[in-house]
Amino acid sequence: MPRTSLGELEHLILLAVVRLGNDAYGAAVIAELEGRTERDVSHAAVYISLQRLEAKRYLSSRSARGTTERGGRAKSTFTLTALGRTRLRESALALFTMWDGLDPSLRGGGGA
Amino acid sequence: MNTGPSGPAGTGETPPRVAQWLVSFVLPRAGRDVVLGDLLERFRDRAAQRGVGAARRWYWRQAVSFVARVPASRAAAGLNGVMAGDTVAARFGPVATGIGSELRFAFRSLRRRRGLSMAAVAVLALAIGASTTVFSVVKAILIERIPFQDPDRLVMIWDRYPEHPDRDAPIRLDHYREWMGRTDLFTSVGAYETTSPSLEYGEWPERVEGAFVTSNLLPLLGARPALGRLLAPEDEAEGAAPVIVLSHGLWQSRFGGDPSIVGRQIRLGGVDTRVVGVMSEAFWFYDPYMVSRSLTGWSGEAARLWLPLRAGAFGGETDYPRYRVIARLRDGVSLPTAADAAAAARSRMTGEDAQEQMTVELLPLSEQIRADSRPRLLGLFGAVALVLLIACVNLVNLLLVHVESRRSEFAVRAALGAGRGRLALQPVLESVLLAAGGGVVGLALARLGTGWLVGLVPRGLPLAHRIGIDVAVAAFGIGLALLAGLAVGVMAALRIDLRRIGAVMLSGSRTVSGSRSSRRIHGALVAAEVSLSLVLFISATLLLRSLASLHGADTGFEADGVLTFHSTLAVSQDRPANTEFFPRLEAAVREMPGVEAVGSTSALPFSLWGQLGRIEIDGTPVDGSIERRVVSPGYFDAIRLPLRSGRVFSESDRGGAPPVVVVNEAAVDRWLGGDSDPIGRTITVIVRDERTVHTVVGVVANVKHERLDEADRPILYSAHRQWTLIFQRFAVRVAAGDPMRLVEPVRRAAAAIDPAQPLQDFISFDALVARSFEEESFYTKILGAFAAAAILLTLVGIYGVVAYITRQRDREVGIRMALGAGAGSVRRLVLGQGLIPVAIGLGLGWLGGLATAGLLRGLLHGIAERDPRTFALAAIMFAIAAAAACLIPANRAARVEPATVLRSE
């Protein structure tokens, strides 16, 4: 049976990929995560999660040519697959369901 | 807010190379470029926002996180996604998945025993840190090519005198020209001569080490200017305008890196000299003689300026051997061929002068630079290899304890169908994981270690400026760690015996008293550790005692509380020597508050200078050259050199007065036949065939001049007013406090007398003396650190093993005590058992010490290489420490409650 829920980091990464649209590559995803969640993210963890998400076919990737600010190194851009979209929706739904009906004071502090 | 993945500022900053290398090391080839690119982008963002330092620290944290996470995930994930591009990995996918689960298991098992894991990582980190530090030195000095263009083809050409076959003798101008003509052997032949002209710039004039070079020498070495040009053939012409090329360091330190310096005139040795260029930063010019002559400290950059070497300089003389010659061998000409041809050519050259049987030596430049440091650095490498070996033995011990204490776990896994291979993989993986951790921490230690080492490097160790951690050094450290981990793991794995595991299952959850063979193995490992670290301990103790004897050696003078400095009068065609400068400066300094005595000498002990001369006693010449010093009357007082009889000089010993000398006691013994009343005897001093009869007016005590362990040597002192030289070194004794506080007042006084005269090399007399055993002190400190690490590792190892074995014997001890054994007899039992392997190890270490003592030859003073007292002292101290390490578990065993232990079964 396929897993229906995602890990927190996986969830966040998929959302970042969606937000970034056509320009979702490693550094951009991390910048997005760091910028929005305001915390330091380990590159290694993101890298491993991206591999895992791709292996699960939630993401697909293609190579793009490198730019000067990355020393001419190649980059890999990610897009959400149909399967990924389904899992993300299921996962979000599970979260929303769990949140539903809870005291609004718990929601403070700025969340999704 | 974050501005996005790329920012305009910070571009061009580069992340730490070693960290970058670590990341690419753990990543599969296919994903590597992408991740490094991502990291680079984020790094530059951070550098722009928070500064380069913060960004570099961030990069290091990321690298560590990659090292910690990726290998396990790679193995476990079964190679999907980007990793699928790895064809080799794909083929071994299933195996890797198996290893992945084992790896996770190993990781968990290590995490459960945090104490043991941390101890193992610390042990390895210490050893890897030390090995990597030493490797960084060996690589910089012995392995990496010397920093010249195509350096393997460069040779130095030296003359050899038959009586000094080992000494590199410079070459005469006419001979240099002949070597230049040998285009069949050499593509280019350049020459240089060291110099230290006075640079009159800024507040004070300063003497700067440099070289006269032929215009082809710098291009021959591959030098390139950073600004302007290098020297050209027309600069060498007679009457050409004086020009100079500055080193990058001198340009930065004295001229603030001002690019408009090129084309400007600066005053050098009283002559206006035009700066035509600044040398590139990377260029390094080495001369062994310059290094030993340079008193102002080792800057990693021997020559700081270059002047054209003119054939017409030095009065156009061609027969004085002063040229140091570097040649590039022609392609296709081997060194032996060139050496044979050169020897033949040299034998034809000797016919024209009196120096017969002179030979020529072609020495590869890299040998010239490295040969002296090689044996000692390799010795250090050997020492650090011992530390690593001890660490590995320790690790085997720790891991065996870990494996043996999990017998029942292995037994269960074996019963559930795990094959021997699978079980044996466990300790290997655990050990490699520990080694990876130890390697990373060890690299961090090596960074600190190289910093510490660079601060200690003795002057005269060439190429030391290159010491540092780069990718190759880091790879060495990590590779060594993994190799050690693998070796240790395999050794531990060999101890897993499936048949015995079956027996464990049958005998219940624990063994009775730890098997005999396991105890034997632990004992053997302890003995090995003890013997290896005793070898290091003995060497370190020998060096330490030798250093102590150097520190305590009687120099014959009092060096504390004395400031010394050197001055060579600035002399040029339009400026005659100001011979009144030295006496006037001495008088001015004497008036300063807090100054007790002041004097000057042509050669202060331990200042690496000296003058030679020839004398006759009663019409008979004294063999060879004798040592002379020209001193002012205050000199003997300033260094508290005791007067034995007669008087020292006075200001009335001047030009017109009768010539007088003072000699030391060794001179009385050697030259004057031990005369009990030498005052009034005469000594004829010969200078260029001119004989002057001097009367001995005083005898002073002997002093050491170059080395604290040298034999007393005869010295002749002349009065400075009767024998004026253009250089003197001053000694200023202060009544109290730090003598270095006088530097500024002395400089001001000198400038008031004659602002053109340079003073240089201000240093306290103590520090000057300490320089003479700088090399010994360097090796002693390093070897001492290694020995300390080795002993610590060994004691931890002894303690760990004895504690483990004792705990296994708790039940036996309980039974013994229940049957009436006292705490004392239990303590003796444990101590005895722990100390037997220690005693065996001490014996072996003693033999090892005897075998390796020869390596210390040349570094030891006042103590024999196989000094029996040192050997005994080291062994006894070690035995006491080992006994203390055994005593802790012995005491614990003695406190065992028989009832508790027996009940727990």
Side-chain angles (χ1 to χ4, degrees), chain A residues 23 25-28 30-32 34-36 38-45 47-48 50-52 54-55 61 63 67-76 78, chain B residues 1-2 4-7 11 20 27-28 31-42 44-46 50 58 61-62 65-66 69-70 73-74 80-83:
Chain A
D23 202 26
Y25 64 101
I30 288 160
E32 182 73 15
E34 287 185 344
R36 289 194 174 271
E38 286 175 11
R39 62 183 191 194
D40 267 7
V41 179
S42 153
H43 265 248
Y47 163 76
I48 290 167
L50 282 170
Q51 301 308 319
R52 199 182 304 135
E54 200 182 356
S61 73
S63 297
T67 51
T68 46
E69 60 265 29
R70 45 193 290 126
R73 294 185 186 276
K75 59 183 172 189
S76 205
F78 294 89
Chain B
M1 267 307 282
N2 204 310
S6 65
T11 307
Q20 239 176 328
L27 285 172
R32 202 175 287 165
D33 223 33
V34 170
V35 173
L36 286 177
D38 286 341
L39 279 170
L40 183 64
E41 263 193 65
R42 300 294 303 138
R44 287 184 174 163
D45 281 353
R46 291 215 163 220
R50 305 181 196 180
W58 171 85
R61 281 200 305 277
Q62 296 300 330
S65 146
F66 268 91
R69 290 166 191 249
V70 172
S73 125
R74 245 181 108 179
N80 295 297
V82 170
M83 291 179 227

Side-chain angles (χ1 to χ4, degrees), chain B residues 621-868:
Chain B
V622 169
D623 266 353
S625 28
I626 60 106
E627 290 190 66
R628 277 184 59 214
R629 305 282 180 262
V630 175
V631 302
S632 73
Y635 171 66
F636 300 103
D637 250 7
I639 69 164
R640 299 223 171 115
L641 206 173
L643 179 69
R644 296 298 190 215
S645 62
R647 65 171 178 92
V648 296
F649 299 123
S650 72
E651 285 300 331
S652 54
D653 295 319
R654 51 176 61 246
V660 292
V661 292
V662 168
V663 294
N664 68 352
E665 291 170 305
V668 174
D669 289 340
R670 201 79 60 81
W671 302 336
L672 302 173
D675 194 338
S676 58
D677 184 22
I679 308 299
R681 294 275 301 262
T682 58
I683 292 178
T684 307
V685 179
I686 308 164
V687 175
R688 293 195 194 86
D689 295 333
E690 202 175 299
R691 293 172 150 71
T692 321
V693 177
H694 289 70
T695 308
V696 176
V697 294
V699 177
V700 293
N702 297 325
V703 295
K704 305 293 180 199
H705 274 270
E706 270 176 35
R707 308 261 342 158
L708 290 166
D709 54 343
E710 72 185 12
D712 288 331
R713 47 212 237 191
I715 305 279
L716 183 84
Y717 295 95
S718 297
H720 73 148
R721 294 260 186 202
Q722 293 186 335
W723 210 295
T724 305
L725 294 174
I726 64 158
F727 53 88
Q728 281 302 86
R729 183 171 268 273
F730 285 76
V732 185
R733 176 170 294 281
V734 296
D738 181 10
M740 294 304 284
R741 74 188 142 84
L742 284 178
V743 173
E744 281 299 305
V746 167
R747 277 200 185 280
R748 275 199 301 276
I753 297 166
D754 182 349
Q757 302 304 337
L759 306 185
Q760 70 186 114
D761 197 23
F762 284 88
I763 182 172
S764 75
F765 204 178
D766 288 338
L768 196 63
V769 174
R771 270 189 198 170
S772 76
F773 46 82
E774 208 170 31
E775 203 189 356
E776 284 82 352
S777 155
F778 173 67
Y779 289 105
T780 305
K781 279 178 190 150
I782 296 181
L783 207 61
F786 290 171
I791 290 170
L792 194 70
L793 291 179
T794 305
L795 292 181
V796 168
I798 294 173
Y799 166 76
V801 167
V802 174
Y804 166 70
I805 293 180
T806 314
R807 200 158 302 136
Q808 282 202 321
R809 297 180 75 183
D810 272 358
R811 209 163 93 90
E812 179 196 335
V813 168
I815 294 171
R816 280 170 188 263
M817 291 183 93
L819 293 178
S825 78
V826 167
R827 204 173 285 134
R828 273 196 300 280
L829 176 82
V830 175
L831 267 183
Q833 191 159 49
L835 288 179
I836 288 169
V838 170
I840 296 172
L842 287 179
L844 291 174
W846 186 300
L847 295 177
L850 288 176
T852 52
L855 293 175
L856 296 175
R857 194 168 298 142
L859 281 174
L860 296 182
H861 307 284
I863 187 165
E865 295 146 33
R866 299 190 168 82
D867 178 58

